[in-house]
Amino acid sequence: VDFHPTATKPSIQHNGSLVFCSGGSVELYTDSTYSTFNWNTGNTTYHTYVSNSGTYFVEVTDSNGCKAKSDTFSLNASFISPPPVCLVGVDSSTNKNIVIWEKTQAGSIDSFVILKETVQANQYAVIGRLPYAAFSTFIDTASKPDVQANRYKLIAIDTCGIATLPSDYHKTIHLTINKGQGTNWNLIWSHYEGIQFASYNIYMGTTATNMALIDVIASNLNSYTHVNPPAGNLFYQIEIVNSQSCSPQLVESFSSSKSNIANVKDVGVKDVIESNISIYPNPTTGDLNIAISNESRINAISITDLNGKSIKTFIPTQRSINFTELAMGMYFLQIQTDAGLKVFKVVKL
């Protein structure tokens, strides 16, 4: 058997320059001694010519049939820099994602193009374009903040009609809630990405319009349990504060990004009730039995993990729950009745 070392990683060199507003191209090339070349421009020789903003790379094959890929080469074909995103978040008036940026490089920009990550990671598509004169915020009417977080980038089109490279992305916060032990509520959210910040602010209210700050935690954390919350329907929201406020028109300032508002009612959990329902044995190595005196009270039975994710559901008349196939650990057995929900913490051995 013959063993060959990995192909030497190709490096990209460049030659020439663009004449802004007058066209031209830049030659990108690598070592011509490789056997095959595959540029992401579609070229299959040792060099390629580019004239548009973008990131370029080449994959090569050496004489032994080993492949290697270059680092990316970034080309900004415009005479202006990519415009940075200032903040993204959830707009309180529309409950849709909002992208916010500041107007810079006056007189050099014709318009701004808004990009959104697609269903494929790191792949972006155009979702909007605004002229320079417009207010520099964009509402993504297709966004679903209650369902997921999203990443956004910006491109500027200069006055010569040339697009810049995309900016770095910003990602929104997506908050979810699940039932904790007793009356507690567990909050879990995706991290905001795009700027450095020190803390997350946690808000709660009895309506979506009377939210009040209840706690502040470090920015490297993304979960929180609200212990002994008030009874009834509650609303939660997460916020980060940008130390450098965004001023789209230099007349109105945006200084923070807020998540979607998560409502405990949406979790489908009513107040935990005291009833004549009991379970045994607990801990269990297999079957868990449910004992209840009034058979008509149970409407649904399910097992969830500690994050509230449903694992199994059962018919309401079932009184023996099989944990055999589940891994060792802790679970919640939820028994829904006409009066509310009974939640048991079950240990599987």
Side-chain angles (χ1 to χ4, degrees):
V1 178
D2 294 329
F3 294 95
H4 302 288
T6 303
T8 304
K9 184 177 181 179
S11 62
I12 295 178
Q13 307 296 320
H14 64 93
N15 182 43
S17 61
L18 297 173
V19 180
F20 298 123
C21 295
S22 299
S25 62
V26 173
E27 180 190 22
L28 305 181
Y29 62 93
T30 190
D31 189 342
S32 62
T33 60
Y34 291 107
S35 298
T36 66
F37 307 85
N38 186 16
W39 294 86
N40 64 326
T41 61
N43 236 37
T44 56
T45 64
Y46 76 94
H47 67 158
T48 188
Y49 290 91
V50 294
S51 57
N52 295 321
S53 297
T55 54
Y56 301 96
F57 62 86
V58 62
E59 186 176 49
V60 299
T61 306
D62 66 14
S63 58
N64 296 315
C66 297
K67 295 182 181 294
K69 185 178 176 181
S70 71
D71 292 330
T72 57
F73 178 91
S74 295
L75 175 69
N76 186 35
S78 172
F79 64 90
I80 60 175
S81 303
V85 176
C86 188
L87 277 176
V88 296
V90 179
D91 177 57
S92 59
S93 61
T94 62
N95 196 35
K96 297 293 184 179
N97 289 342
I98 183 172
V99 183
I100 304 163
W101 64 96
E102 293 187 329
K103 291 184 179 180
T104 59
Q105 306 170 96
S108 302
I109 298 177
D110 172 78
S111 55
F112 296 95
V113 176
I114 300 90
L115 307 177
K116 179 180 180 179
E117 190 176 44
T118 67
V119 295
Q120 295 181 325
N122 302 314
Q123 300 297 313
Y124 288 78
V126 174
I127 61 169
R129 180 171 176 172
L130 290 178
Y132 185 87
F135 196 74
S136 55
T137 63
F138 179 83
I139 301 294
D140 178 9
T141 56
S143 62
K144 299 177 181 178
D146 294 335
V147 175
Q148 68 173 86
N150 293 109
R151 289 177 172 182
Y152 296 91
K153 293 183 177 184
L154 283 178
I155 286 175
I157 307 297
D158 65 29
T159 51
C160 296
I162 305 299
T164 66
L165 280 168
S167 68
D168 293 333
Y169 70 81
H170 279 233
K171 190 188 80 172
T172 60
I173 306 169
H174 178 234
L175 171 64
T176 61
I177 292 179
N178 64 71
K179 193 73 176 68
Q181 185 175 5
T183 60
N184 299 342
W185 294 104
N186 298 323
L187 281 61
I188 302 172
W189 59 91
S190 58
H191 281 296
Y192 187 96
E193 298 176 6
I195 59 171
Q196 297 294 318
F197 56 97
S199 307
Y200 284 108
N201 298 330
I202 302 171
Y203 288 84
M204 186 209 73
T206 54
T207 71
T209 59
N210 73 343
M211 312 285 277
L213 183 68
I214 61 171
D215 215 338
V216 179
I217 66 172
S219 61
N220 59 348
L221 305 174
N222 68 324
S223 64
Y224 180 86
T225 298
H226 192 190
V227 178
N228 298 321
N233 194 17
L234 301 175
F235 297 79
Y236 291 92
Q237 191 171 39
I238 306 299
E239 176 191 51
I240 65 106
V241 175
N242 186 352
S243 60
Q244 304 295 323
S245 295
C246 311
S247 300
Q249 290 286 72
L250 301 179
V251 292
E252 182 177 357
S253 177
F254 293 82
S255 61
S256 73
S257 168
K258 292 186 177 181
S259 72
N260 58 301
I261 295 176
N263 179 208
V264 300
K265 187 177 181 181
D266 295 334
V267 182
V269 179
K270 300 180 181 179
D271 292 340
V272 177
I273 62 167
E274 294 297 329
S275 70
N276 56 348
I277 302 174
S278 61
I279 61 172
Y280 65 93
N282 189 16
T284 182
T285 57
D287 288 339
L288 185 76
N289 299 304
I290 300 174
I292 183 172
S293 61
N294 185 350
E295 293 291 330
S296 64
R297 291 178 60 90
I298 295 182
N299 299 317
I301 304 170
S302 64
I303 300 173
T304 68
D305 63 18
L306 295 183
N307 292 322
K309 180 180 179 182
S310 178
I311 298 175
K312 281 187 176 183
T313 57
F314 305 89
I315 59 175
T317 57
Q318 195 162 340
R319 295 296 176 265
S320 181
I321 308 302
N322 190 346
F323 278 75
T324 304
E325 296 178 354
L326 299 183
M328 290 188 295
M330 189 176 297
Y331 299 90
F332 290 127
L333 178 67
Q334 299 186 352
I335 303 176
Q336 183 73 51
T337 73
D338 293 334
L341 187 74
K342 182 71 174 179
V343 181
F344 295 94
K345 185 183 293 183
V346 178
V347 177
K348 165 65 189 311
L349 300 178

